[in-house]
Amino acid sequence: MKTLVALACSLCCLLSFGQSRQTDVTVKRTLKLMGTRFEITVVAPNEEIGYINIDEAVSEIERVEKLISSWDKDSETTLINKNAGIKPVKVNRELLNLIERSIKISEITDGAFDITYASMDNIWKFDGTMDKVPTEAEIKNSVSKVGFKKIQLDAENQTVYLPEKGMKIGFGAIGKGYAADRAKELLVSKDVKGGIINASGDLTTWGTKVTGEKWLVGIANPLSKDKVFSWLPIIESSVATSGNYEKYIELDGKKYSHIIDPRTGYPTRGINSVSIFAKQAELCDALATAVFTMGRDVGLHMINQIDGVEAVVVDSENKVHKSSGIMFDTN
């Protein structure tokens, strides 16, 4: 049965913490991992143990990064990309499983989420240097090597093969969520009572605050992030948000999002932000990107078919739309 949640506008990762019981404390650390901001919070018997727990979570996130990073020249992901069109690459079972799950999400989303997006030529620039829209031929050519169906997996031999030279895979739209899930899993296995792994807005929680209260996420309008509209309790759950209100370009009077549809090569349009709620941060991360790409109506229709997943979409006119299990006033 789908979870009922109360939301407004889009997600702003503001967390509320209660007063400590005498026996437990809340320990928090903010640092840069995987090229982005991570905030790790744990409930621990004392500060010393709390910081040890956080260090263990950091080590796990760094381990995941080394496995999936396409920037690390020695990672298995890099080896897969280097050997595109040459030969299959034997990989860790963990990476093979992640690729398998990514392909399944691609199938569900009709390619709106696709780890072979990394094969795209970066003809769209969002650094202020673009002065004209790429030609239709340039855009078509930019996605010529994209396609999750091309990935060849051999589960028995644990190999991955990209059959065309120039093909690449990347985990930018799922990696942070996956790393957060793995860090949470590690801390839960070590009997850490509660906490939050917040990977730059993709977050997952377990347990409760030291007071026994639920963890709360502040919900704010993306146009006024410092103002909390309401507090949403999240229990043993995850949240991820994708938005285009900070990174975009305007050409010939039109606004172009930095989120590119891997199927067409064109920037997505019509949505300002998408927030996804589900058990796993990995799934939230991937589906937030997918719904953004699919568009409001198609995206929400898809979410309504998946048990345990909910979404809130803010369109380009800042109107709020929601999946069927979300209960709140959109007026």
Side-chain angles (χ1 to χ4, degrees):
M1 184 175 181
K2 290 196 170 186
T3 304
L4 300 183
V5 293
L7 298 173
C9 298
S10 75
L11 178 70
C12 176
C13 295
L14 304 171
L15 303 176
S16 172
F17 305 104
Q19 296 299 314
S20 300
R21 289 197 300 254
Q22 291 182 352
T23 55
D24 290 326
V25 296
T26 299
V27 182
K28 180 169 66 173
R29 184 179 170 198
T30 302
L31 65 165
K32 189 173 183 179
L33 296 165
M34 302 180 74
T36 192
R37 181 179 183 270
F38 269 71
E39 186 176 270
I40 303 172
T41 304
V42 297
V43 173
N46 56 60
E47 283 195 356
E48 182 179 3
I49 292 176
Y51 283 117
I52 290 173
N53 293 148
I54 289 174
D55 286 342
E56 290 172 327
V58 169
S59 295
E60 177 66 359
I61 293 166
E62 291 174 338
R63 184 195 66 79
V64 169
E65 180 179 17
K66 187 163 183 60
L67 183 70
I68 69 175
S69 174
S70 56
W71 302 106
D72 185 335
K73 62 182 179 63
D74 297 319
S75 75
E76 291 184 355
T77 301
T78 298
L79 291 176
I80 292 169
N81 293 341
K82 281 184 177 179
N83 285 282
I86 301 173
K87 64 179 181 179
V89 175
K90 188 174 180 63
V91 299
N92 186 294
R93 175 63 66 178
E94 180 181 359
L95 181 59
L96 187 74
N97 290 343
L98 177 60
I99 295 173
E100 286 179 335
R101 293 195 303 275
S102 296
I103 291 173
K104 287 180 181 178
I105 296 173
S106 295
E107 292 170 347
I108 293 170
T109 62
D110 194 27
F113 169 84
D114 191 334
I115 59 173
T116 67
Y117 80 92
S119 308
M120 285 193 293
D121 294 331
N122 295 318
I123 58 174
W124 294 92
K125 307 291 183 183
F126 297 89
D127 56 5
T129 60
M130 282 192 72
D131 56 8
K132 63 178 181 179
V133 176
T135 66
E136 187 174 336
E138 288 173 331
I139 292 173
K140 185 177 180 180
N141 185 63
S142 75
V143 296
S144 62
K145 293 181 174 63
V146 175
F148 68 92
K149 293 180 181 179
K150 299 177 183 179
I151 302 173
Q152 297 178 15
L153 301 183
D154 184 333
E156 184 177 347
N157 294 310
Q158 285 184 220
T159 63
V160 182
Y161 181 49
L162 305 179
E164 297 178 19
K165 282 202 169 185
M167 276 193 75
K168 296 178 182 178
I169 58 172
F171 298 97
I174 197 171
K176 288 187 304 176
Y178 176 63
D181 283 337
R182 290 309 302 260
K184 169 184 171 178
E185 184 180 320
L186 175 68
L187 294 182
V188 169
S189 75
K190 293 182 176 293
D191 297 322
V192 177
K193 293 180 179 180
I196 297 176
I197 310 293
N198 182 353
S200 191
D202 297 347
L203 63 89
T204 188
T205 73
W206 73 100
T208 63
K209 295 187 284 186
V210 292
T211 58
E213 297 172 288
K214 302 167 185 175
W215 297 109
L216 301 177
V217 176
I219 305 301
N221 188 308
L223 302 180
S224 183
K225 296 180 188 178
D226 295 333
K227 296 181 180 179
V228 177
F229 182 91
S230 63
W231 291 98
L232 167 72
I234 48 176
I235 309 168
E236 309 290 337
S237 188
S238 303
V239 188
T241 296
S242 287
N244 75 342
Y245 36 81
E246 291 181 336
K247 195 174 181 181
Y248 61 89
I249 55 173
E250 290 187 13
L251 296 172
D252 301 326
K254 292 184 178 180
K255 183 178 177 179
Y256 295 92
S257 163
H258 75 285
I259 300 176
I260 308 296
D261 188 334
R263 303 167 297 184
T264 66
Y266 283 90
T268 58
R269 301 185 68 182
I271 291 178
N272 277 349
S273 74
V274 176
S275 295
I276 300 290
F277 300 79
K279 187 76 172 176
Q280 301 294 326
E282 171 189 311
L283 184 60
C284 291
D285 201 357
L287 289 181
T289 300
V291 171
F292 212 108
T293 302
M294 297 170 84
R296 181 193 71 198
D297 294 339
V298 175
L300 286 175
H301 177 74
M302 176 197 67
I303 294 297
N304 285 333
Q305 312 308 309
I306 307 174
D307 285 339
V309 179
E310 301 294 349
V312 172
V313 176
V314 181
D315 67 21
S316 56
E317 297 180 352
N318 285 319
K319 292 182 179 178
V320 183
H321 310 267
K322 56 189 176 60
S323 57
S324 58
I326 301 276
M327 305 294 289
F328 74 105
D329 186 358
T330 59
N331 295 324

